[in-house]
Amino acid sequence: MQDTPAIPATPVGGKPPKVGFVSLGCPKALTDSELILTQLSAEGYETSKTFAGADLVIVNTCGFIDDAVKESLDTIGEALSENGRVIVTGCLGARADAAGDNLVRAVHPKVLAVTGPHATQEVMDAVHQHAPKPHDPFVDLVPATGIKLTPKHYAYLKISEGCNHRCTFCIIPSMRGDLVSRPVGDVLSEARALFESGVKELLVVSQDTSAYGVDLKYRTGFFDGKPVKTRMLELCAQLGELAAPHGAWVRLHYVYPYPHVDELLPLMAEGRVLPYLDVPFQHSHPEVLRRMKRPASGERNLERLLMWREACPELVIRSTFIAGFPGETEAEFQHLLDFVREAQIDRAGCFAYSPVAGAAANDLPGALPTEVREERRARFMAVAEQVSIARLQHRVGATMQVLVDKAPALGRKGGLGRSYADAPEIDGNVRLLPPEKASKTLKVGEFTKARVVATEGHDLIAQPI
Ligand code: SF4
């Protein structure tokens, strides 16, 4: 028996139960949170901004790196002490401890229920059990797009779950399972509803966007009565068509450098999807990539990237890297630094390798001392920043389309936005100066043209025109 306070069944006409919600982790986890919140709202549950004011609390966790695990466990602990009735979902919920027991339950035995990621129905079943459904659901109050945790003008669109790769440093497949692509008709219907609700930037996410449809053998689905293949190229072409009447952007994340990605470049050159690719290279040296078991590790990444740049000169590449992977020699690390310089990576993030419990890389020989890993990360970032800042400098004098994220003082005193080169949260910003023309104001969620006048770190400063 769990030692938790009981909640009475909601009487007919009584107040609907309130659910506290904490969403941690990556954009994929965020879309899971949105599905759960949408379902809660559809059934008439209310949300509470505080743990204490809720009838129960749902914590959507992240279990990817040690810091994320700690943050998730701490948040569950906080919710338990302030509320006492906690349901845990997400990646951490699928992890086992060293003894093979559920990690969350081992640390916090008083939680009401624990599920893995993308488990909306299981979470709802637990909610129904511990805070019974209201009798008068406000179904009609839920927007067609569901509940979004992002600002109204951009949204993440998850196209698949799980991953068929087995990178040695990663435990996501053990938590999220193999690749399961969403039906192309569902994905496109969701995209259309989002654009119709005012979304101006759609961020396509998954674990491996380039693999979309592999599990379904690229079968033909239907959207609006028309056949569409479940494949990245066809999906992106359709998304571009849906975005066009709204003047909206489509941005692609987690794309691997497979040969078939070449086919996307014409769509980018034609402006149907943004000339921006988030390609998590992780390393450049073939031997390190082989030890990492990375997708597309056998591809000639530098040649491919230079060819992409030729096909679409505006292309911006964001990537993440790992420095100090087990066995990484100084020569292999130098190869990585040369790659960043030659490939002219616009935006790069770098982690010093850190072992993740349960990952195969932990058993690889040649683990490097923490100081070496950290020192390489710092050297990497110094080079990556030089490249990034030099590339930003080239934009001074250019006129760019900027999507406004913040516009205080009714948009008369400038604001903050992003160009096609900046994804929300992870890249830089465009700092907008106060408009010169009295008739011009900046509005959140709208585009403005702006002339770049200077750079500031990873950001641009621009004058709205
Ligand atoms: S591609 Fe590799 S790093 Fe990415 S989710 Fe799959 S296994 Fe993990």
Side-chain angles (χ1 to χ4, degrees), residues 402-419:
V402 178
L403 182 56
V404 179
D405 286 324
K406 287 187 189 151
L410 300 172
R412 288 294 314 140
K413 294 211 165 155
L416 209 61
R418 290 173 295 104
S419 75

Side-chain angles (χ1 to χ4, degrees), residues 110-125:
K110 287 192 176 169
V111 292
L112 298 175
V114 182
T115 83
H118 53 100
T120 307
Q121 195 48 52
E122 283 173 61
V123 172
M124 290 310 298
D125 289 347

